[in-house]
Amino acid sequence: MGFRQGAVLASCSFFLGVLFICFFVDYRILHQELTEEIVEDGFQFYATFFNAPPAIKAVLHGFMGVGILGLVAKLHKYDESAIFFDGSSLVAYIFAAAVYLAVTIPSLRTVVTPVDVDTRADRIEAMRILSAGNTIMMVILGAILVLQGGQEYARRAES
């Protein structure tokens, strides 16, 4: 395993870890009957997550950039394996980043810092959408890890 593959695996694993922590709240929001306790737990958890120090947000976004750079560097090799495995991984990673930018950030803002027109029902719906987006990103990042494992398996089987 080289530096490029290590960068991809480290960034995917880091984000899966962050999303796994969120999943303890997301599971209750998505798959259990919503009670006042579950809603308040979700509000408190995501408020803590949203109000994290800037250094933590910088690490989160830095790892996102490391993953994209690692995949682009692996794709630069441009052989059959890179086109299939790394190209698919890059598309999936960009899709996960798009879900983060288009779903997670606006939903977090609605949950934590609602504007005057946002009702409590709007905040709860935004939290449910946020939980669903987190679950989608977990599946995508898991698929990237499977693709990277499949690439390594194919490389070793070929040798």
mmCIF file of all heavy atoms in Angstrom, residues 65-92:
data_model
loop_
_atom_site.group_PDB
_atom_site.id
_atom_site.type_symbol
_atom_site.label_atom_id
_atom_site.label_comp_id
_atom_site.label_asym_id
_atom_site.label_seq_id
_atom_site.Cartn_x
_atom_site.Cartn_y
_atom_site.Cartn_z
ATOM 1 N N GLY A 65 -10.212 17.082 1.665
ATOM 2 C CA GLY A 65 -9.291 17.418 0.579
ATOM 3 C C GLY A 65 -8.229 16.358 0.362
ATOM 4 O O GLY A 65 -7.875 16.050 -0.778
ATOM 5 N N VAL A 66 -7.728 15.760 1.455
ATOM 6 C CA VAL A 66 -6.722 14.694 1.343
ATOM 7 C C VAL A 66 -7.294 13.501 0.588
ATOM 8 O O VAL A 66 -6.619 12.896 -0.255
ATOM 9 C CB VAL A 66 -6.212 14.280 2.743
ATOM 10 C CG1 VAL A 66 -5.446 12.974 2.695
ATOM 11 C CG2 VAL A 66 -5.352 15.376 3.342
ATOM 12 N N GLY A 67 -8.538 13.157 0.869
ATOM 13 C CA GLY A 67 -9.167 12.030 0.169
ATOM 14 C C GLY A 67 -9.309 12.285 -1.324
ATOM 15 O O GLY A 67 -9.015 11.412 -2.147
ATOM 16 N N ILE A 68 -9.737 13.474 -1.689
ATOM 17 C CA ILE A 68 -9.888 13.803 -3.104
ATOM 18 C C ILE A 68 -8.529 13.827 -3.795
ATOM 19 O O ILE A 68 -8.363 13.275 -4.890
ATOM 20 C CB ILE A 68 -10.644 15.135 -3.285
ATOM 21 C CG1 ILE A 68 -12.097 14.945 -2.883
ATOM 22 C CG2 ILE A 68 -10.554 15.636 -4.711
ATOM 23 C CD1 ILE A 68 -12.922 16.204 -2.876
ATOM 24 N N LEU A 69 -7.547 14.435 -3.147
ATOM 25 C CA LEU A 69 -6.194 14.465 -3.734
ATOM 26 C C LEU A 69 -5.611 13.069 -3.882
ATOM 27 O O LEU A 69 -4.964 12.757 -4.883
ATOM 28 C CB LEU A 69 -5.270 15.342 -2.899
ATOM 29 C CG LEU A 69 -5.496 16.847 -3.000
ATOM 30 C CD1 LEU A 69 -4.582 17.592 -2.024
ATOM 31 C CD2 LEU A 69 -5.255 17.327 -4.412
ATOM 32 N N GLY A 70 -5.826 12.224 -2.891
ATOM 33 C CA GLY A 70 -5.341 10.842 -2.976
ATOM 34 C C GLY A 70 -5.970 10.086 -4.130
ATOM 35 O O GLY A 70 -5.292 9.354 -4.855
ATOM 36 N N LEU A 71 -7.266 10.254 -4.334
ATOM 37 C CA LEU A 71 -7.935 9.567 -5.439
ATOM 38 C C LEU A 71 -7.506 10.114 -6.791
ATOM 39 O O LEU A 71 -7.320 9.350 -7.747
ATOM 40 C CB LEU A 71 -9.459 9.664 -5.279
ATOM 41 C CG LEU A 71 -10.041 8.733 -4.227
ATOM 42 C CD1 LEU A 71 -11.483 9.095 -3.933
ATOM 43 C CD2 LEU A 71 -9.939 7.284 -4.686
ATOM 44 N N VAL A 72 -7.332 11.421 -6.889
ATOM 45 C CA VAL A 72 -6.863 12.001 -8.152
ATOM 46 C C VAL A 72 -5.442 11.529 -8.447
ATOM 47 O O VAL A 72 -5.110 11.197 -9.600
ATOM 48 C CB VAL A 72 -6.959 13.548 -8.108
ATOM 49 C CG1 VAL A 72 -6.223 14.185 -9.265
ATOM 50 C CG2 VAL A 72 -8.421 13.976 -8.103
ATOM 51 N N ALA A 73 -4.602 11.452 -7.418
ATOM 52 C CA ALA A 73 -3.235 10.974 -7.613
ATOM 53 C C ALA A 73 -3.220 9.505 -8.029
ATOM 54 O O ALA A 73 -2.413 9.102 -8.875
ATOM 55 C CB ALA A 73 -2.421 11.172 -6.332
ATOM 56 N N LYS A 74 -4.105 8.695 -7.451
ATOM 57 C CA LYS A 74 -4.186 7.288 -7.859
ATOM 58 C C LYS A 74 -4.715 7.155 -9.282
ATOM 59 O O LYS A 74 -4.295 6.277 -10.025
ATOM 60 C CB LYS A 74 -5.084 6.513 -6.898
ATOM 61 C CG LYS A 74 -4.443 6.205 -5.563
ATOM 62 C CD LYS A 74 -5.358 5.361 -4.722
ATOM 63 C CE LYS A 74 -5.323 3.957 -5.298
ATOM 64 N NZ LYS A 74 -6.127 3.006 -4.545
ATOM 65 N N LEU A 75 -5.646 8.012 -9.647
ATOM 66 C CA LEU A 75 -6.221 7.963 -10.998
ATOM 67 C C LEU A 75 -5.219 8.405 -12.047
ATOM 68 O O LEU A 75 -5.321 8.023 -13.208
ATOM 69 C CB LEU A 75 -7.478 8.838 -11.045
ATOM 70 C CG LEU A 75 -8.363 8.735 -12.268
ATOM 71 C CD1 LEU A 75 -8.879 7.313 -12.421
ATOM 72 C CD2 LEU A 75 -9.529 9.693 -12.161
ATOM 73 N N HIS A 76 -4.241 9.184 -11.630
ATOM 74 C CA HIS A 76 -3.217 9.688 -12.549
ATOM 75 C C HIS A 76 -2.399 8.555 -13.176
ATOM 76 O O HIS A 76 -1.859 8.711 -14.264
ATOM 77 C CB HIS A 76 -2.304 10.667 -11.817
ATOM 78 C CG HIS A 76 -1.295 11.324 -12.695
ATOM 79 N ND1 HIS A 76 -1.652 12.099 -13.785
ATOM 80 C CD2 HIS A 76 0.055 11.320 -12.661
ATOM 81 C CE1 HIS A 76 -0.560 12.530 -14.375
ATOM 82 N NE2 HIS A 76 0.489 12.087 -13.718
ATOM 83 N N LYS A 77 -2.352 7.411 -12.496
ATOM 84 C CA LYS A 77 -1.644 6.242 -13.033
ATOM 85 C C LYS A 77 -2.278 5.777 -14.351
ATOM 86 O O LYS A 77 -1.587 5.360 -15.268
ATOM 87 C CB LYS A 77 -1.669 5.117 -11.990
ATOM 88 C CG LYS A 77 -0.849 3.928 -12.321
ATOM 89 C CD LYS A 77 -0.903 2.954 -11.151
ATOM 90 C CE LYS A 77 -0.158 1.691 -11.468
ATOM 91 N NZ LYS A 77 -0.284 0.719 -10.377
ATOM 92 N N TYR A 78 -3.583 5.863 -14.442
ATOM 93 C CA TYR A 78 -4.395 5.645 -15.641
ATOM 94 C C TYR A 78 -4.171 4.286 -16.305
ATOM 95 O O TYR A 78 -3.940 4.178 -17.498
ATOM 96 C CB TYR A 78 -4.169 6.779 -16.646
ATOM 97 C CG TYR A 78 -5.379 7.012 -17.523
ATOM 98 C CD1 TYR A 78 -6.511 7.583 -17.000
ATOM 99 C CD2 TYR A 78 -5.381 6.636 -18.849
ATOM 100 C CE1 TYR A 78 -7.630 7.784 -17.786
ATOM 101 C CE2 TYR A 78 -6.495 6.831 -19.646
ATOM 102 C CZ TYR A 78 -7.617 7.406 -19.112
ATOM 103 O OH TYR A 78 -8.719 7.602 -19.886
ATOM 104 N N ASP A 79 -4.250 3.246 -15.525
ATOM 105 C CA ASP A 79 -4.327 1.904 -16.101
ATOM 106 C C ASP A 79 -5.755 1.391 -15.907
ATOM 107 O O ASP A 79 -6.625 2.116 -15.419
ATOM 108 C CB ASP A 79 -3.285 0.966 -15.479
ATOM 109 C CG ASP A 79 -3.456 0.794 -13.980
ATOM 110 O OD1 ASP A 79 -4.304 1.495 -13.391
ATOM 111 O OD2 ASP A 79 -2.735 -0.029 -13.400
ATOM 112 N N GLU A 80 -6.002 0.154 -16.305
ATOM 113 C CA GLU A 80 -7.364 -0.374 -16.247
ATOM 114 C C GLU A 80 -7.899 -0.399 -14.812
ATOM 115 O O GLU A 80 -9.055 -0.063 -14.554
ATOM 116 C CB GLU A 80 -7.383 -1.782 -16.842
ATOM 117 C CG GLU A 80 -8.774 -2.337 -17.038
ATOM 118 C CD GLU A 80 -8.739 -3.656 -17.781
ATOM 119 O OE1 GLU A 80 -8.327 -3.664 -18.953
ATOM 120 O OE2 GLU A 80 -9.125 -4.661 -17.164
ATOM 121 N N SER A 81 -7.054 -0.791 -13.886
ATOM 122 C CA SER A 81 -7.460 -0.845 -12.485
ATOM 123 C C SER A 81 -7.777 0.544 -11.949
ATOM 124 O O SER A 81 -8.755 0.734 -11.227
ATOM 125 C CB SER A 81 -6.342 -1.487 -11.649
ATOM 126 O OG SER A 81 -6.627 -1.395 -10.286
ATOM 127 N N ALA A 82 -6.962 1.518 -12.295
ATOM 128 C CA ALA A 82 -7.182 2.882 -11.810
ATOM 129 C C ALA A 82 -8.469 3.453 -12.380
ATOM 130 O O ALA A 82 -9.220 4.137 -11.667
ATOM 131 C CB ALA A 82 -5.999 3.769 -12.178
ATOM 132 N N ILE A 83 -8.741 3.181 -13.645
ATOM 133 C CA ILE A 83 -9.946 3.724 -14.265
ATOM 134 C C ILE A 83 -11.193 3.152 -13.594
ATOM 135 O O ILE A 83 -12.113 3.890 -13.240
ATOM 136 C CB ILE A 83 -9.955 3.437 -15.784
ATOM 137 C CG1 ILE A 83 -8.853 4.235 -16.461
ATOM 138 C CG2 ILE A 83 -11.317 3.773 -16.381
ATOM 139 C CD1 ILE A 83 -8.635 3.839 -17.906
ATOM 140 N N PHE A 84 -11.201 1.836 -13.375
ATOM 141 C CA PHE A 84 -12.396 1.215 -12.797
ATOM 142 C C PHE A 84 -12.529 1.522 -11.304
ATOM 143 O O PHE A 84 -13.515 2.105 -10.864
ATOM 144 C CB PHE A 84 -12.388 -0.302 -13.013
ATOM 145 C CG PHE A 84 -13.547 -0.992 -12.377
ATOM 146 C CD1 PHE A 84 -14.822 -0.829 -12.894
ATOM 147 C CD2 PHE A 84 -13.382 -1.783 -11.255
ATOM 148 C CE1 PHE A 84 -15.902 -1.449 -12.302
ATOM 149 C CE2 PHE A 84 -14.459 -2.401 -10.659
ATOM 150 C CZ PHE A 84 -15.733 -2.237 -11.179
ATOM 151 N N PHE A 85 -11.537 1.124 -10.526
ATOM 152 C CA PHE A 85 -11.653 1.237 -9.075
ATOM 153 C C PHE A 85 -11.499 2.676 -8.591
ATOM 154 O O PHE A 85 -12.313 3.166 -7.808
ATOM 155 C CB PHE A 85 -10.617 0.343 -8.391
ATOM 156 C CG PHE A 85 -10.877 -1.122 -8.560
ATOM 157 C CD1 PHE A 85 -10.112 -1.887 -9.417
ATOM 158 C CD2 PHE A 85 -11.897 -1.749 -7.862
ATOM 159 C CE1 PHE A 85 -10.347 -3.237 -9.571
ATOM 160 C CE2 PHE A 85 -12.155 -3.098 -8.005
ATOM 161 C CZ PHE A 85 -11.376 -3.849 -8.868
ATOM 162 N N ASP A 86 -10.467 3.355 -9.032
ATOM 163 C CA ASP A 86 -10.216 4.708 -8.540
ATOM 164 C C ASP A 86 -11.180 5.721 -9.143
ATOM 165 O O ASP A 86 -11.587 6.672 -8.475
ATOM 166 C CB ASP A 86 -8.764 5.115 -8.811
ATOM 167 C CG ASP A 86 -7.790 4.246 -8.046
ATOM 168 O OD1 ASP A 86 -8.159 3.772 -6.953
ATOM 169 O OD2 ASP A 86 -6.661 4.037 -8.532
ATOM 170 N N GLY A 87 -11.545 5.519 -10.405
ATOM 171 C CA GLY A 87 -12.529 6.416 -11.018
ATOM 172 C C GLY A 87 -13.882 6.299 -10.332
ATOM 173 O O GLY A 87 -14.529 7.311 -10.032
ATOM 174 N N SER A 88 -14.306 5.066 -10.053
ATOM 175 C CA SER A 88 -15.574 4.867 -9.340
ATOM 176 C C SER A 88 -15.495 5.432 -7.930
ATOM 177 O O SER A 88 -16.446 6.039 -7.439
ATOM 178 C CB SER A 88 -15.911 3.373 -9.276
ATOM 179 O OG SER A 88 -16.052 2.843 -10.566
ATOM 180 N N SER A 89 -14.359 5.243 -7.279
ATOM 181 C CA SER A 89 -14.180 5.775 -5.923
ATOM 182 C C SER A 89 -14.208 7.300 -5.932
ATOM 183 O O SER A 89 -14.791 7.920 -5.025
ATOM 184 C CB SER A 89 -12.860 5.285 -5.325
ATOM 185 O OG SER A 89 -12.879 3.899 -5.140
ATOM 186 N N LEU A 90 -13.591 7.911 -6.933
ATOM 187 C CA LEU A 90 -13.578 9.372 -7.018
ATOM 188 C C LEU A 90 -14.985 9.920 -7.226
ATOM 189 O O LEU A 90 -15.382 10.899 -6.583
ATOM 190 C CB LEU A 90 -12.646 9.841 -8.133
ATOM 191 C CG LEU A 90 -12.505 11.353 -8.302
ATOM 192 C CD1 LEU A 90 -11.906 11.973 -7.051
ATOM 193 C CD2 LEU A 90 -11.646 11.666 -9.514
ATOM 194 N N VAL A 91 -15.758 9.278 -8.107
ATOM 195 C CA VAL A 91 -17.137 9.708 -8.332
ATOM 196 C C VAL A 91 -17.949 9.574 -7.045
ATOM 197 O O VAL A 91 -18.701 10.482 -6.670
ATOM 198 C CB VAL A 91 -17.775 8.913 -9.487
ATOM 199 C CG1 VAL A 91 -19.274 9.128 -9.554
ATOM 200 C CG2 VAL A 91 -17.125 9.279 -10.806
ATOM 201 N N ALA A 92 -17.791 8.458 -6.346
ATOM 202 C CA ALA A 92 -18.521 8.249 -5.100
ATOM 203 C C ALA A 92 -18.091 9.254 -4.033
ATOM 204 O O ALA A 92 -18.933 9.787 -3.293
ATOM 205 C CB ALA A 92 -18.306 6.822 -4.606
#
